[in-house]
Amino acid sequence: MSEQPDQPLSLAADFPPASRQRWRELVAGVLAKSGIRYDEAEPETALAHEGYDGFPVAPLYTADDLPELPAAEPGRPPYLRGDQPRPGWDVRARHDDADPVAASRAILADLAGGASSLWLKLGPDGIPAGRLAEALAGVYLELVPVVLDAGTDCLDAARTFLQLAAELAPAEVRGSLGADPVGAAARTGAAPDLTPLAELWRLTDGYPNLLPITVDGTVYHDAGGSDGDELAVTAAVGLAYLRAAEAAGVPLTTAFAGLEFRYAVTADQFGSIAKLRAARRIWDRIGELSGIEQRAGQRQHAVTSAAMLTRRDPWVNLLRTTIGCFAAAIGGAAAITVTPFDAALGQPDEFGRRLARNIQAILHDEASLARVTDAAGGSYYVEALTDRLAEAAWHKFTELERTGGAPAALESGALAELLERSWQARRRNLAHRSDPITGVSEFPLLAEEPVRRPARPALTGKGLPVHRYAEDYEQLRDRADELAEAGARPAIFLAALGPAAVHTPRLNFASNLAQAGGVEPVVGTGEPAGLAAAFAASGARIACLCSSDKVYAEQAAEAAAALKGAGARAVWIAGKPELVGGDIDRAVFTGCDALERLRWIFEEAEA
């Protein structure tokens, strides 16, 4: 056989060329069949959604949407592509057990299992600062970086730690003293006091690998802030610390390189990737405007969000934290902490901590995420999202600066108002289930076996609120369980009209909604007279019709009247709200306020 010359391989050779216009035509066809209204010029507007930072997220991004990108490589300003030229990250384990002996066992287990640094929560809601030596017993401090988190006691904790490391060479002491006076004030409600920072800068002088300050953005994330809020506030806090360092005589170049930033990452994979990339760009811009010519890239510690964790069906948290860890790695975080899946329930056990470690081990080593720098770079969507998020966050940052900076905004309440606006917007989406929570607001399981963990010390102080996305649903679930123990779990009677093939979709929808609040769905089938008898025996006080629009037109009025005659205080219908009328009081449908309807059921059950 004669050799054939090499021919270039065209992967799309047998396919027609793709274009935005052709995509629009296909989308328009689907929307027309679905009965969804849209702008004929741009049908994708029907599929776009508004984020929490004031800009829409489109369903399609192409080269036309690509912003102007810097030519800099990873490890060089503006650090959009990472603060280091090489990929990889530090596996950082968090510990806060109030029993230092138990904390020591857990710390050593984490280090043996693959953790490469420690994050220690000290104080009333963590390890007693005076017993830090017990918690670190057996830890080789010259090998293991330690990050402290002592709140308002940061100065005393720093001195204690440096006494433990006194026998080491200064270059062997690595980590961060973790001072964050503004973050501590935000947690406790106290007035922010930046005066300890000057002493902390003095303490770290001569320690080339020990940072004095951590800017903790998770405080503002947990209070309900959006990604843009978190970026804006951390930038303002970081700038406040630069000003304090300059006032203390610390060179700005030294101060700029002495801060580490901690960010929350969630199951919103692309949003979290964009947040880390935008954060580096924003911080570098602040350094540039501050006249710092030799600027180090922002050091980032990413933590899987505590706000996204659920107490119900906590096993799903493993999926959430895996996605968050993936996003942190792709986004270029220098250190990552995966929160154990059972952290929302109390003190995580060894199993939860082991799974948290293994998530990182699999992504770092087996999935090879540590082999590529800025893997999302060049993605039309990620680049556009990074650009829009950076712009939105910069706008909020400048607004905070106009109020006097982060400390002043915290004291005046302006910062809390900013975060509360985002939280209320998210809370509405959670209530309407446009932000679904798997295992809680979607696909709940009333018969799940509870997972129990020892309680943590209660948080003290009157600082910013601490939210979890599932909290409203889980409060209803807790109340329903209390009523169930007393023999009176709230129930709703689901009246299935017509054959199973017709009523099953809406029956499943209504059942899923009811169980999201711990309400027992009781299903009845048959003719209106039979449904009335079944309702009377169900113990429910509200009934909901479930079937197709065609069956509703034929049977809904008769069935609703029969159910009212059997004692139903209200009759609902699963379907379009325009079907409400006569004996039908309310509707449940995709996009309705699920929490509001669940609370109505409770009101009737407890009346």
Side-chain angles (χ1 to χ4, degrees):
M1 295 179 61
S2 61
E3 293 186 4
Q4 297 294 325
D6 292 338
Q7 297 292 330
L9 178 63
S10 176
L11 297 177
D14 296 328
F15 296 91
S19 68
R20 182 185 287 269
Q21 182 57 37
R22 178 55 180 156
W23 183 86
R24 283 176 174 168
E25 292 171 359
L26 294 172
V27 169
V30 174
L31 294 176
K33 292 179 181 178
S34 303
I36 299 174
R37 297 178 180 178
Y38 60 93
D39 182 347
E40 292 186 3
E42 295 184 357
E44 62 262 44
T45 55
L47 302 179
H49 70 274
E50 190 75 20
Y52 293 109
D53 290 302
F55 61 87
V57 178
L60 175 69
Y61 287 84
T62 68
D64 296 335
D65 303 297
L66 196 65
E68 184 177 348
L69 299 175
E73 299 173 353
R76 298 178 62 84
Y79 299 104
L80 182 67
R81 308 204 173 282
D83 69 318
Q84 300 294 327
R86 292 179 176 273
W89 66 88
D90 170 23
V91 178
R92 187 168 295 174
R94 184 182 190 273
H95 290 273
D96 62 358
D97 197 318
D99 179 357
V101 176
S104 176
R105 288 196 299 268
I107 286 170
L108 295 176
D110 269 343
L111 293 174
S116 52
S117 71
L118 300 173
W119 169 21
L120 305 181
K121 175 65 177 173
L122 307 177
D125 55 347
I127 301 168
R131 302 182 68 181
L132 181 59
E134 294 177 62
L136 289 175
V139 176
Y140 295 96
L141 296 180
E142 66 271 25
L143 300 177
V144 181
V146 175
V147 175
L148 304 181
D149 184 358
T152 55
D153 297 326
C154 59
L155 197 52
D156 290 341
R159 290 175 177 142
T160 300
F161 174 72
L162 289 175
Q163 287 175 0
L164 294 177
E167 296 182 359
L168 301 180
E172 292 179 322
V173 183
R174 295 177 295 152
S176 173
L177 299 179
D180 185 15
V182 176
R187 290 240 189 249
T188 62
D193 179 13
L194 274 60
T195 55
L197 295 181
E199 177 63 13
L200 286 161
W201 281 110
R202 188 192 67 79
L203 287 174
T204 55
D205 187 29
Y207 289 89
N209 299 314
L210 184 64
L211 306 179
I213 295 171
T214 297
V215 180
D216 190 353
T218 66
V219 181
Y220 317 107
H221 172 83
D222 292 346
S226 66
D227 289 340
D229 295 341
E230 190 179 351
L231 293 180
V233 178
T234 52
V237 172
L239 182 55
Y241 294 161
L242 289 184
R243 292 182 178 126
E246 187 177 36
V250 179
L252 275 181
T253 301
T254 302
F256 193 78
L259 276 63
E260 181 175 70
F261 288 74
R262 183 177 295 141
Y263 295 107
V265 286
T266 69
D268 178 5
Q269 172 181 297
F270 291 104
S272 294
I273 293 170
K275 176 163 69 175
L276 297 178
R277 299 173 89 247
R280 292 192 295 272
R281 175 179 166 186
I282 290 169
W283 186 239
D284 185 71
R285 178 61 174 158
I286 289 173
E288 182 182 17
L289 294 175
S290 300
I292 305 171
E293 295 184 1
Q294 300 298 320
R295 301 186 302 277
Q298 185 188 69
R299 302 192 189 200
Q300 294 180 334
H301 172 203
V303 184
T304 55
S305 165
M308 73 174 176
L309 298 186
T310 66
R311 292 173 180 163
R312 299 289 177 157
D313 203 355
W315 308 104
V316 183
N317 291 333
L318 293 168
L319 302 179
R320 298 183 181 101
T321 54
T322 298
I323 296 171
C325 183
F326 178 89
I330 298 298
I336 301 176
T337 297
V338 171
T339 308
F341 81 96
D342 50 351
L345 298 164
Q347 193 64 44
D349 66 2
E350 192 281 330
F351 180 61
R353 289 192 300 272
R354 178 162 61 88
L355 290 178
R357 294 193 307 267
N358 288 349
I359 287 171
Q360 297 217 49
I362 291 170
L363 293 178
H364 189 283
D365 300 324
E366 297 185 31
S368 297
L369 296 190
R371 296 186 180 184
V372 181
T373 300
D374 192 30
S379 160
Y380 303 144
Y381 177 36
V382 171
E383 297 290 5
L385 187 60
T386 300
D387 190 62
R388 296 299 300 275
L389 182 58
E391 289 180 358
W394 186 264
H395 175 73
K396 294 180 181 182
F397 160 69
T398 55
E399 288 296 318
L400 286 172
E401 285 299 296
R402 289 189 186 97
T403 67
L410 180 62
E411 290 193 273
S412 70
L415 195 156
E417 291 176 5
L418 172 70
L419 303 176
E420 183 64 16
R421 285 195 296 271
S422 294
W423 169 242
Q424 291 303 328
R426 186 182 298 276
R427 196 178 188 187
R428 285 192 295 273
N429 286 344
L430 291 165
H432 289 263
R433 301 196 296 178
S434 55
D435 281 0
I437 308 173
T438 303
V440 179
S441 68
E442 295 283 1
F443 312 111
L445 179 63
L446 291 188
E448 68 176 285
E449 289 292 328
V451 179
R452 306 191 188 282
R453 296 291 183 266
R456 278 198 179 103
L459 295 175
T460 58
K462 298 180 179 180
L464 295 176
V466 178
H467 293 297
R468 285 185 309 105
Y469 302 155
E471 62 187 35
D472 287 330
Y473 288 97
E474 292 185 341
Q475 286 173 5
L476 291 178
R477 290 282 297 271
D478 292 345
R479 180 59 182 150
D481 287 350
E482 292 173 1
L483 294 172
E485 290 178 3
R489 178 182 290 277
I492 185 170
F493 182 79
L494 303 182
L497 304 176
V502 172
H503 68 235
T504 295
R506 281 175 169 163
L507 177 68
N508 288 342
F509 170 83
S511 176
N512 185 55
L513 187 150
Q515 292 180 78
V519 174
E520 182 72 34
V522 181
V523 180
T525 59
E527 297 301 317
L531 288 173
F535 172 81
S538 69
R541 299 186 180 185
I542 293 177
C544 180
L545 306 179
C546 302
S547 195
S548 66
D549 291 350
K550 181 179 179 181
V551 173
Y552 286 153
E554 299 169 352
Q555 302 182 28
E558 181 184 358
L563 291 166
K564 284 283 183 75
R569 296 190 180 185
V571 175
W572 298 356
I573 193 165
K576 300 174 183 178
E578 53 263 31
L579 298 175
V580 172
D583 286 322
I584 299 174
D585 302 287
R586 295 187 178 97
V588 292
F589 52 91
T590 300
C592 73
D593 189 331
L595 285 171
E596 179 186 57
R597 282 150 178 80
L598 289 168
R599 290 180 180 125
W600 286 338
I601 298 174
F602 275 78
E603 289 173 6
E604 291 294 344
E606 298 179 284

